[in-house]
Amino acid sequence: MTCMTKSLTDSKRVAVVGGGAAGMMAAIFAARNGAEVTLYERNDRMGKKLRITGKGRCNVTNDCDLNEFLANVPTNPRFLYAALSAFTTSDTMDFFEKAGVPLKTERGKRVFPVSDRAADIVAALERKCREYGVHILHRRVQNIVEENACVRAVQTSEGCDPYDAVILCTGGRSYPTTGSDGDGYRFAERLGHTVTAIKPSLVPLIADGRLCASLQGLSLRNVRLTVYDSARKKPVFEDFGEMMFTHFGLTGPLVLSASAHLSDICPDKYEAQIDLKPALDEKTLDARIRSDFEKYKNRDFINALDDLLPQKLIEPFVGLTQIDPRKKVHSITREERERMVKLLKGFRVKLVGFRPINEAIITRGGVSVKEIDPKTMASKRVKGLYFAGELIDVDAYTGGFNLQIAFSTAVLAGTSAAEQEIN
């Protein structure tokens, strides 16, 4: 297919591929810096994945300093230093406030729209795109055309459009129904880039056996989750919050966060321990149990736990204690209470795998940071090619960090693309 030649114009022609968080932000800053920008989005509307982030509330960023931010990036944090310095979390908050979206900060310094509507964040980005004259085409890009290691054009089913620079913002492989199906990885590899192994992150975890299935739908609040490396006998994750049992295992905010700390899961490698009563030490918890047993001294064991545990958890808990469910509580021994306390402080679930990548919030892996200039987000292999967002081999924990990475890398890519010398 023959590509059109570049028009003679003073403005740099920049294409942005992908109309998500990174794509819209890159387009805005490229246009704001004088480029003639066309944004290609394969879906019929912009920000499809962004609309469902944070259960539709959109955790925009995290109101923390740079060092704290980087501590929440397990993969290639140093690569992000320049981008996060050039466009900080405060800059993101200021951008959206000025774009007409009031923000609020919640527990863990997580920043959300006051409206709790992710659609308001998308609408603000769309307004800014229009304000700066970004041309939006709802077409799927088929190829990035290069010649002599320089970007030349973007190819779609409609033909080839010439550009001085192309910014790839196609996302990872999570939530493929939103359009993130790995196109960007294919483009990068065709252009000579290395793509590291693609894996799910911030994803539910599969558990061994039937225990979790028997507790399906049970949500736990104010619990402490610790995940241990069984071989090293050391915790690899520990935090306090909410989680839920499912037919396959575990999910919820605590579990998603834990998944980002785990390497490949194989049988017997990781074990989750849930402290169901983190506010009570073992001595205090034993006193609590004795008080309940005094209150229900004429009841069977299985009927004396309503004040201590959610109803759905009682029967599995009793089974794990190996105490006769029909034993009168006034007959329960000290040793049996000790078993109860240990189980309440360490409810064990053996982990055996991750759920599929299409259930992951983000993708781990991507275009190698060794082949991207961290000060510009420019390719070191192809002149005029830039990367932003989840496509790059960086990922972070939950809390607004991943969206901030998308925004910061996009601002740097957009600005750099607009300022580059025309080939």
Side-chain angles (χ1 to χ4, degrees):
M1 186 178 289
T2 303
C3 291
M4 298 163 52
T5 57
K6 294 178 183 177
S7 59
L8 296 175
T9 174
D10 292 334
S11 297
K12 298 177 183 66
R13 298 196 66 195
V14 175
V16 177
V17 184
M24 285 189 280
M25 191 67 90
I28 290 164
F29 275 79
R32 195 163 93 168
N33 282 276
E36 180 185 331
V37 181
T38 301
L39 191 159
Y40 292 84
E41 169 52 50
R42 59 188 287 184
N43 294 309
D44 58 2
R45 61 177 183 165
M46 308 286 280
K48 197 170 180 181
K49 183 177 179 181
L50 186 56
R51 294 173 191 273
I52 61 175
T53 59
K55 297 181 180 178
R57 296 180 63 217
C58 192
N59 186 181
V60 179
T61 187
N62 192 285
D63 189 15
C64 64
D65 63 27
L66 180 58
N67 288 333
E68 187 178 350
F69 192 105
L70 293 175
N72 282 275
V73 182
T75 307
N76 299 316
R78 292 177 61 188
F79 172 80
L80 293 169
Y81 189 89
L84 291 167
S85 298
F87 195 76
T88 66
T89 59
S90 295
D91 291 329
T92 295
M93 294 167 68
D94 185 61
F95 175 89
F96 284 107
E97 291 270 4
K98 288 180 178 177
V101 186
L103 303 175
K104 61 182 177 179
T105 303
E106 298 186 358
R107 183 178 63 86
K109 302 181 182 180
R110 299 172 186 229
V111 179
F112 295 87
V114 170
S115 66
D116 286 328
R117 284 171 41 88
D120 291 349
I121 296 296
V122 178
L125 290 167
E126 289 181 313
R127 283 196 302 273
K128 285 294 180 181
C129 282
R130 290 194 297 270
E131 179 183 330
Y132 288 108
V134 174
H135 181 47
I136 296 172
L137 291 177
H138 290 282
R139 296 178 191 167
R140 181 171 185 173
V141 172
Q142 297 174 331
N143 193 26
I144 309 300
V145 180
E146 61 89 21
E147 184 180 274
N148 298 323
C150 292
V151 161
R152 295 302 179 191
V154 166
Q155 180 183 326
T156 69
S157 60
E158 303 291 318
C160 277
D161 300 317
Y163 291 102
D164 302 298
V166 172
I167 309 172
L168 290 179
C169 306
T170 53
R173 201 173 281 162
S174 56
Y175 290 123
T177 55
T178 65
S180 299
D181 66 354
D183 271 356
Y185 302 133
R186 292 188 285 275
F187 297 149
E189 286 180 321
R190 285 178 197 158
L191 294 167
H193 279 274
T194 303
V195 175
T196 64
I198 303 303
K199 302 175 183 178
S201 188
L202 305 183
V203 66
L205 299 173
I206 302 170
D208 190 25
R210 294 286 306 161
L211 176 61
C212 291
S214 71
L215 296 169
Q216 180 178 352
L218 174 63
S219 293
L220 300 176
R221 294 187 176 185
N222 303 319
V223 297
R224 181 168 296 280
L225 175 67
T226 306
V227 179
Y228 287 90
D229 183 318
S230 301
R232 297 167 59 200
K233 296 182 179 179
K234 289 184 177 181
V236 295
F237 172 83
E238 184 177 5
D239 204 358
F240 176 87
E242 301 177 20
M243 58 175 290
M244 186 172 76
F245 294 97
T246 73
H247 67 284
F248 57 76
L250 304 173
T251 190
L254 276 178
V255 176
L256 299 180
S257 294
S259 72
H261 295 253
L262 309 183
S263 57
D264 290 338
I265 297 180
C266 57
D268 301 320
K269 184 169 185 181
Y270 294 113
E271 180 183 72
Q273 291 190 21
I274 307 162
D275 185 345
L276 298 167
K277 301 293 177 183
L280 304 177
D281 60 25
E282 291 191 3
K283 183 178 179 180
T284 307
L285 183 53
D286 182 60
R288 160 72 190 276
I289 291 170
R290 284 187 283 111
S291 175
D292 283 359
F293 283 1
E294 178 62 26
K295 180 179 178 181
Y296 299 119
K297 59 186 176 183
N298 294 319
R299 290 191 184 183
D300 294 344
F301 177 44
I302 197 166
N303 296 322
L305 301 174
D306 291 351
D307 295 348
L308 192 66
L309 294 169
Q311 188 63 40
K312 202 164 191 175
L313 187 54
I314 291 175
E315 187 173 341
F317 177 84
V318 169
L320 290 167
T321 65
Q322 297 182 321
I323 301 171
D324 182 352
R326 294 304 167 189
K327 187 173 185 176
K328 298 298 183 183
V329 292
H330 61 72
S331 300
I332 288 180
T333 66
R334 178 178 179 180
E335 180 186 6
E336 288 171 331
R337 288 200 321 272
E338 287 177 354
R339 291 208 302 268
M340 288 179 62
V341 168
K342 289 189 182 304
L343 186 57
L344 288 166
K345 298 294 288 181
F347 193 86
R348 296 167 180 258
V349 177
K350 189 175 291 185
L351 305 173
V352 295
F354 298 108
R355 289 293 285 178
I357 197 167
N358 60 0
E359 295 181 25
I361 293 177
I362 63 164
T363 304
R364 180 182 296 167
V367 179
S368 172
V369 298
K370 295 177 182 178
E371 300 167 1
I372 303 173
D373 183 342
K375 296 180 179 179
T376 61
M377 296 297 129
S379 165
K380 294 180 179 179
R381 297 187 178 276
V382 179
K383 185 172 175 58
L385 180 65
Y386 297 81
F387 299 96
E390 195 177 349
L391 186 61
I392 303 170
D393 183 20
V394 289
D395 62 84
Y397 304 139
T398 56
F401 302 105
N402 288 291
L403 261 183
Q404 179 64 46
I405 290 171
F407 294 139
S408 292
T409 55
V411 168
L412 203 51
T415 303
S416 301
E419 293 176 349
Q420 77 164 30
E421 295 181 6
I422 295 178
N423 301 325

